[in-house]
Amino acid sequence: QVQLVESGGGVVQPGGSLRLSCAASGLTFGDYSMSWYRQTPGKERELVASISPASSTTHYADSVKGRFTISRDNAKNLVSLQMNSLKPEDTAVYYCKAVHFQNKYWGQGTQVTVSS
């Protein structure tokens, strides 16, 4: 019933930009904290950015601070990740996560490749 669907991934050159989106359904979106994680083969999944239900607070990993911006539109059940000044190290599968108390849901992931 609950579904998170990421989109917007692709291949981009270093220094370029991408905007990822995560569309949520089957949940009361405004109750959930939303996060973006990323994972590269052989590495642990890491938190990239998170945002509180009413966009009151945001968090960013040090590695993306100043380059990435997380935002959400509760009317559209969407959370986005604007990624600027992309680096090869940003290459990963990016996952959307929704959390509300004991309820946790993950999207299927979208591939981002930063390569020259």
Side-chain angles (χ1 to χ4, degrees):
Q1 290 178 299
V2 173
Q3 191 172 34
L4 304 177
V5 180
E6 300 96 333
S7 62
V11 181
V12 65
Q13 292 186 326
S17 297
L18 282 175
R19 185 175 180 87
L20 306 183
S21 295
C22 172
S25 60
L27 52 74
T28 305
F29 187 74
D31 287 343
Y32 283 76
S33 294
M34 302 297 299
S35 301
W36 288 96
Y37 285 73
R38 67 186 182 188
Q39 187 167 30
T40 300
K43 298 179 65 177
E44 296 182 0
R45 188 171 297 187
E46 65 171 337
L47 176 64
V48 176
S50 61
I51 188 167
S52 58
S55 301
S56 298
T57 60
T58 57
H59 168 269
Y60 298 94
D62 287 343
S63 59
V64 308
K65 201 168 297 181
R67 299 188 297 121
F68 291 10
T69 302
I70 188 170
S71 61
R72 65 191 294 163
D73 185 340
N74 287 352
K76 297 182 178 180
N77 284 19
L78 288 173
V79 61
S80 299
L81 185 68
Q82 178 66 46
M83 305 185 295
N84 298 327
S85 302
L86 283 161
K87 305 174 180 179
E89 308 93 272
D90 296 319
T91 295
V93 177
Y94 284 71
Y95 296 90
C96 178
K97 181 185 180 183
V99 177
H100 179 58
F101 292 104
Q102 77 275 23
N103 300 311
K104 301 177 182 178
Y105 305 99
W106 290 91
Q108 83 290 347
T110 185
Q111 177 70 48
V112 172
T113 301
V114 185
S115 176
S116 59

